[in-house]
Amino acid sequence: MISNSKGSIMRPDPLPDSASRPVVTPLSPSVVYASDTPDMLDAQYDGDLQGYTYSREGHPNADVVAQAIDRMEGAPHMGVVTASGMAAVSAVLLGLTQAGDHVIGGNQLYGRSLRMMAEDLPRLGIETSMVDPGDVDAVRAEIRPSTKMILVEVVSNPTLRVADILGLSALARETGVLLVVDNTFTTPRAFRAFDHGADIVIHSVTKLLAGHSDVMLGYVAAKDEALNDRLRVFTVTTGMTPSPFDCWLAERGMLSFPLRFDRAQSTAARLADHLAGLPGVKRVLYPARHDHPDHDQAAVLLKGQYCNMVSFEIDGDRDAANAFARAAQGLNFAPTLGDVGTTISHPASSSHRALTAERRTELGMTEGFFRISVGLEDSKALCDVFTEAVQAAIG
Ligand SMILES: *Cc1c(COP(=O)(O)O)cnc(C)c1O
């Protein structure tokens, strides 16, 4: 430390030396990293020496999170952690395309991804088509010489339809188009997208991976090293860099991710069957159930992992939906998923409010339709809450 008579004028020295190491990753909020000499900095920029420089370019807490997800996904190069899931989607859609390109998206993508496809890409001269990702022939019919990529989610929100990923990956290989998989709902615990032919994998780490609704983060990794590098450079240039503290929290949350996932999934299976037996419940959507339209596809792709999302429909109107939400004591009525606590969302008043009522009915998202993200509560207690809330709704 350098001081003058008025006290400290410079930064303090780094942490005192210790022969033993902390067992928890230290939080590194430092924006800048000091190198010893211009030669050393040169070597860092050349990539001959690993060393951080400026935290928008990368920092240790982000790399720890990236490597943890890389291991789960089997990513061949270190992925990029971004400040939100949408930053990861944006990095792919904006960072790897140019005017004149064409992008195909699943017609039930996450709302903001759909919006970017519908509003932002066309404004920049990039054409888009939205297609049912369960229908490979329909996707094939949209492929043009300018088609650059197909962006899909494995299990759609909120109707939990399952994409034909194997068919799409064969089509993508055959036509030289990139297959981009947003694996947020399924997570690497249920689906390792690279193993099934994906070229790029995206996550909203905000959801199940971090898991506590206190962190907003995203992740993207590409199989091809040059593409992976382009994604990293684009996220650094556009400032999509995550905060070290968010990464630190996410790392902690991910330690329990496999346990949380397994627990939430087994409760979801029980709750789905319970709901199906309740008077006043018209329909339950859960891919493990044989009455799910894509059960066979899910059984093949997800290998018995059916995830924690359940959707169902109460036989009733908006009043019934209000009564249900009011009576669902202890559950948060909130537009997110993957939290430790069960959350319920109502597409007609939130994610799909922009559609006409007729279009929502076509899609099966009536006023009585709810999506549940099952959390870690005791499964019996959770089923009881739903029994009471459904009774209140149809009472
Ligand atoms: C939430 C979500 C996103 C966006 O992630 P944020 O972290 O909220 O920006 C993208 N895709 C899917 C499937 C999501 O559920």
Side-chain angles (χ1 to χ4, degrees):
M1 185 166 15
I2 301 172
S3 12
N4 63 11
S5 57
K6 293 189 182 118
S8 167
I9 57 164
M10 295 290 279
R11 295 279 187 182
D13 289 333
L15 289 175
D17 284 340
S18 166
S20 46
R21 291 175 286 109
V23 294
V24 172
T25 306
L27 172 62
S28 297
S30 192
V31 165
V32 282
Y33 289 80
S35 305
D36 290 343
T37 60
D39 271 354
M40 181 174 167
L41 191 56
D42 237 3
Q44 286 176 240
Y45 279 125
D46 283 345
D48 298 332
L49 193 63
Q50 161 56 26
Y52 300 101
T53 53
Y54 187 63
S55 70
R56 182 167 27 71
E57 313 258 335
H59 55 75
N61 292 107
D63 287 352
V64 167
V65 170
Q67 285 166 345
I69 303 175
D70 293 343
R71 278 193 296 275
M72 288 192 280
E73 286 288 5
H77 316 286
M78 187 165 75
V80 183
V81 175
T82 54
S84 70
M86 275 316 297
V89 172
S90 304
V92 173
L93 289 178
L94 301 172
L96 302 181
T97 55
Q98 58 190 45
D101 284 347
H102 172 240
V103 175
I104 299 176
N107 58 1
Q108 289 199 11
L109 288 173
Y110 180 70
R112 287 279 157 190
S113 302
L114 270 184
R115 192 183 164 94
M116 180 164 288
M117 298 274 301
E119 311 274 330
D120 298 286
L121 296 189
R123 182 171 47 77
L124 299 170
I126 300 155
E127 295 185 304
T128 59
S129 312
M130 262 65 97
V131 193
D132 174 1
D135 183 348
V136 175
D137 290 335
V139 177
R140 178 185 292 279
E142 287 296 332
I143 300 233
R144 317 167 187 174
S146 58
T147 304
K148 186 87 189 204
M149 63 177 74
I150 305 170
L151 167 63
V152 293
E153 291 165 21
V154 187
V155 173
S156 75
N157 173 34
T159 54
L160 312 183
R161 298 304 303 261
V162 182
D164 182 356
I165 300 282
L166 297 180
L168 292 176
S169 84
L171 176 65
R173 259 198 315 279
E174 177 195 328
T175 52
V177 168
L178 296 171
L179 178 63
V180 183
V181 174
D182 179 337
N183 203 19
T184 300
F185 265 50
T186 25
T187 82
R189 191 110 180 118
F191 187 74
R192 298 225 316 179
F194 286 124
D195 294 349
H196 292 82
D199 296 294
I200 297 176
V201 175
I202 292 173
H203 276 284
S204 169
V205 180
T206 311
K207 312 290 171 52
L208 286 134
L209 291 177
H212 294 71
S213 295
D214 52 8
V215 170
M216 182 153 276
L217 281 183
Y219 165 92
V220 59
K223 185 155 51 181
D224 178 79
E225 189 167 16
L227 280 185
N228 202 64
D229 288 347
R230 276 176 66 187
L231 287 166
R232 182 178 309 281
V233 169
F234 186 78
T235 60
V236 169
T237 303
T238 51
M240 295 176 173
T241 315
S243 119
F245 183 56
D246 285 348
C247 294
W248 187 85
L249 278 175
E251 183 203 352
R252 178 186 163 121
M254 282 195 298
L255 294 175
S256 61
F257 161 68
L259 287 174
R260 287 186 283 104
F261 185 84
D262 292 355
R263 162 73 180 232
Q265 167 173 267
S266 71
T267 305
R270 179 167 177 185
L271 178 65
D273 290 341
H274 177 74
L275 286 169
L278 289 181
V281 171
K282 256 166 96 173
R283 173 167 85 106
V284 174
L285 291 172
Y286 186 61
R289 288 176 54 83
H290 290 272
D291 59 3
H292 186 281
D294 300 324
H295 170 74
D296 293 345
Q297 178 78 272
V300 170
L301 278 186
L302 308 179
K303 301 212 170 59
Q305 309 279 325
Y306 296 99
C307 307
N308 75 316
M309 305 298 293
V310 179
S311 293
F312 75 111
E313 187 178 359
I314 298 169
D315 195 2
D317 54 10
R318 174 64 67 89
D319 288 343
N322 286 334
F324 170 82
R326 267 195 300 272
Q329 286 299 316
L331 307 183
N332 283 316
F333 177 59
T336 190
L337 65 105
D339 186 50
V340 290
T342 296
T343 51
I344 46 179
S345 74
H346 183 246
S349 64
S350 58
S351 54
H352 294 72
R353 57 176 295 126
L355 304 181
T356 62
E358 293 74 46
R359 180 74 188 120
R360 280 199 299 266
T361 305
E362 265 170 48
L363 294 171
M365 295 170 217
T366 57
E367 286 294 342
F369 186 86
F370 283 92
R371 183 197 77 181
I372 312 162
S373 165
V374 176
L376 307 183
E377 297 89 346
D378 174 73
S379 65
K380 165 85 170 64
L382 191 64
C383 288
D384 289 348
V385 169
F386 276 89
T387 306
E388 279 182 31
V390 170
Q391 263 163 13
I394 62 166

